[in-house]
Amino acid sequence: MERYTGAFEEAVDGARQQERHYQLLSALQSLVKELPRCAAAGRNGRLKWPWSCPRSPRPSARSSFQQRLSYTMLSDLALALLDGTVFEIVQGLLEIQHLTEKSLYNQRLRLQNEHRVLRQALRQKHQEAQQACRPHNLPVLQAAQQRELEAVEYRIREEQRAMDQKIVLELDRKVADQQSTLEKAGVAGFYVTTNPQELTLQMNLLELIRKLQQRGCQVGKTAL
């Protein structure tokens, strides 16, 4: 009797999973049609988080994105989303991304403030030196100050360039980590790549997951 009961429960669970998969797949197919505001790969093919873009892609590009989101890919995505784990992973990645961006922004802001203080100190130093300088020595002093100013500005540009390179590399590493995490979670379409077309596809998939997650928060996971 217990064997039959167990088999019946397994059949019910299977039917529920199948219904859940159908609901997710139907929701994904509907959301694909709403991708005119889909995310797009940024300059140099880098992902841009959070997953949104201010301008819509060209209709031809939008159609191409939608064509790549085939029934099989959407079905595989729906399967990966069944137990809700991927939603939690995506939310965690988004939170980590925000913390990373905030940290990098603060680092660059601190550097800019240091440069501002440096320029102010140099300007004050030059003014005081000029005030104490004898008139016939002023041209020589001004020439030396100009060389010092140019050296400081060069240093500032180099430090800003190094900071920007650090930010780009850090964000690229973060994207690769995110791609690897989602690949290991079994999310269709995800693997480590820098190909702009593949990045755009991945961002479309993330946009679908994000919208499903929002809808799920509003009406519950069983009523997509």
Side-chain angles (χ1 to χ4, degrees):
M1 184 65 179
E2 291 181 358
R3 182 178 63 184
Y4 292 116
T5 301
F8 175 74
E9 291 177 350
E10 289 180 3
V12 171
D13 288 341
R16 288 174 178 170
Q17 288 284 82
Q18 188 173 9
E19 177 63 20
R20 170 72 172 155
H21 177 260
Y22 174 78
Q23 291 177 344
L24 286 166
L25 179 56
S26 297
L28 287 169
Q29 289 174 318
S30 176
L31 289 172
V32 165
K33 300 174 183 178
E34 302 175 10
L35 282 177
R37 295 185 63 190
C38 64
R43 187 176 60 178
N44 299 326
R46 296 186 184 91
L47 284 173
K48 186 174 181 60
W49 294 51
W51 309 298
S52 62
C53 71
R55 291 184 293 178
S56 300
R58 298 186 309 275
S60 59
R62 183 190 317 157
S63 176
S64 176
F65 298 154
Q66 291 175 347
Q67 288 175 2
R68 293 203 61 192
L69 296 170
S70 64
Y71 176 89
T72 299
M73 176 169 286
L74 293 177
S75 179
D76 290 342
L77 178 59
L79 284 173
L81 297 173
L82 276 178
D83 65 358
T85 302
V86 171
F87 290 115
E88 296 176 2
I89 291 173
V90 168
Q91 183 61 33
L93 291 176
L94 182 57
E95 291 172 359
I96 292 172
Q97 179 72 17
H98 285 164
L99 290 174
T100 300
E101 290 178 347
K102 183 177 181 180
S103 174
L104 293 172
Y105 171 79
N106 287 335
Q107 290 179 41
R108 198 177 196 284
L109 189 61
R110 283 195 298 271
L111 182 63
Q112 289 176 333
N113 288 334
E114 290 173 5
H115 290 161
R116 178 178 53 80
V117 171
L118 178 61
R119 285 190 174 107
Q120 289 177 344
L122 183 62
R123 186 161 51 247
Q124 182 176 356
K125 171 188 170 184
H126 285 178
Q127 289 175 350
E128 292 174 353
Q130 289 179 19
Q131 290 172 356
C133 181
R134 295 181 179 180
H136 66 277
N137 289 330
L138 190 58
V140 176
L141 175 64
Q142 289 176 331
Q145 289 179 340
Q146 181 62 30
R147 290 192 296 271
E148 184 180 19
L149 177 62
E150 291 174 356
V152 168
E153 289 297 330
Y154 176 79
R155 168 189 162 189
I156 287 175
R157 288 195 301 271
E158 287 300 298
E159 289 181 352
Q160 288 176 338
R161 183 180 61 82
M163 174 60 72
D164 290 342
Q165 287 182 339
K166 174 186 175 182
I167 290 173
V168 168
L169 290 174
E170 180 64 25
L171 291 177
D172 283 349
R173 281 195 293 268
K174 189 62 62 178
V175 167
D177 289 344
Q178 293 158 352
Q179 291 171 325
S180 177
T181 297
L182 291 169
E183 180 183 19
K184 291 176 181 177
V187 183
F190 281 90
Y191 61 98
V192 177
T193 179
T194 57
N195 183 294
Q197 292 183 341
E198 295 303 309
L199 289 173
T200 301
L201 176 64
Q202 291 179 354
M203 295 193 71
N204 276 295
L205 292 170
L206 284 170
E207 180 72 0
L208 293 175
I209 294 172
R210 187 185 66 84
K211 287 185 176 181
L212 272 182
Q213 190 172 27
Q214 289 178 339
R215 184 177 294 188
C217 290
Q218 293 172 359
V219 298
K221 290 184 178 181
T222 60
L224 292 168

